[in-house]
Amino acid sequence: MSVWAVLAAAGRGERLGADRPKAFAPLRGRPLLAESLERLEGSDWIESIVVVAPPGWEEPVILLAEELGCGKVAAAVAGGETRAESVQIGVGEVAEDAAVILVHDAARPLVSDDVLERLIVALNEGWDGAVPGLPVVDTVKRVDGDTVVETLPRSSLVAVQTPQAFVASVLRAAVAGTGDATDCSSLVEGRGGRVKVVAGDPRLFKVTTPDDLALVESWLEADEEDEADEEDEEDDA
Ligand code: C5P
């Protein structure tokens, strides 16, 4: 099954306060984009990758991909004004014969093979799409300005992340329309598509502020220390 990934990286990331687009904000000395790009490249589930770059940053994206040895990158294209536009542009670069298109936010650097597997398995079960979701821990209310309109039943809510995977033809049809959806699934749902929620991953959270970047750095450092400890134990054995 041919699975293509569209990596949405064209956001400005103003809340990060960096002097460059969020995808190029430094994470442990590398552009933030490097982390998700390398992880998608290393996954056996993914055949090819389209990177949707901040306008004017297509060349640096290609150079980064070359530097990281990411041979699966088929195209780097300039994104649009909104995420929805950027995804539409990215999907337009996917090969006609792709069976599955997976859309991922570069702002969620810690994409794992476990999540990718859960999504692809759901599509193999016959769903039109699959998204990772986490239980909602806070009570969520719908408001009108500062007035509470209603309290939503928490047991029926999930917080949805990316990557989101879809049957290619279903996603192509869904993104063809206009609108400013904040995720792809809502476009598919809106056309009657059946989307499954699979278990998400707390580490897939979206980097928005400098504190978020620092948190992801601390997780990666802890991972490295764990790996070094494991290697030491193996050497001792
Ligand atoms: O803005 P937000 O944090 O929701 O962006 C989610 C993802 O969508 C980010 O990875 C960002 O780079 C991407 N995006 C995009 N084009 C835009 C806006 C956001 O590719 N115009």
Side-chain angles (χ1 to χ4, degrees):
M1 186 170 53
S2 159
V3 181
W4 278 59
V6 172
L7 190 51
R12 279 191 276 268
E14 276 152 7
R15 281 164 293 182
L16 214 49
D19 58 354
R20 59 195 78 176
K22 192 195 302 193
F24 283 86
L27 177 73
R28 305 191 78 209
R30 308 193 306 176
L32 177 65
L33 171 65
E35 194 64 40
S36 47
L37 194 52
E38 211 170 48
R39 286 164 180 254
L40 292 174
E41 173 77 25
S43 171
D44 288 341
W45 296 105
I46 307 295
E47 184 180 303
S48 295
I49 304 167
V50 173
V51 183
V52 188
W57 289 75
E58 302 92 308
E59 199 57 40
V61 166
I62 295 287
L63 291 175
L64 177 67
E66 281 172 4
E67 210 174 292
L68 297 172
C70 294
K72 292 182 185 174
V73 174
V77 283
E81 272 301 304
T82 62
R83 181 186 188 276
E85 265 179 50
S86 294
V87 170
Q88 190 182 42
I89 293 166
V91 168
E93 297 294 320
V94 172
E96 279 306 314
D97 62 357
V100 169
I101 304 176
L102 186 138
V103 181
H104 184 56
D105 292 340
R108 300 179 190 268
L110 302 186
V111 55
S112 71
D113 236 28
D114 287 349
V115 169
L116 293 173
E117 179 171 355
R118 293 199 278 272
L119 297 168
I120 305 293
V121 166
L123 292 193
N124 279 332
E125 288 166 1
W127 295 80
D128 295 317
V131 299
L134 291 177
V136 174
V137 289
D138 294 315
T139 297
V140 180
K141 297 185 190 293
R142 200 162 63 76
V143 295
D144 179 8
D146 56 7
T147 306
V148 173
V149 176
E150 67 170 325
T151 301
L152 302 168
R154 197 170 59 184
S155 57
S156 65
L157 296 173
V158 285
V160 160
Q161 308 172 308
T162 75
Q164 300 188 346
F166 304 93
V167 171
S169 57
V170 169
L171 185 65
R172 284 185 208 278
V175 300
T178 50
D180 191 17
T182 51
D183 82 343
C184 299
S185 178
S186 54
L187 298 172
V188 171
E189 297 149 32
R191 296 171 51 87
R194 287 174 64 257
V195 179
K196 182 177 187 181
V197 181
V198 302
D201 182 348
R203 298 193 2 153
L204 259 179
F205 93 127
K206 185 161 67 176
V207 169
T208 308
T209 66
D211 282 352
D212 296 341
L213 264 182
L215 182 61
V216 172
E217 285 194 344
S218 71
W219 284 341
L220 289 172
E221 269 153 33
D223 285 355
E224 246 179 38
E225 279 166 25
D226 286 351
E227 275 166 28
D229 286 349
E230 275 168 29
E231 275 169 28
D232 285 349
E233 276 167 28
E234 276 167 25
D235 288 347
D236 290 345

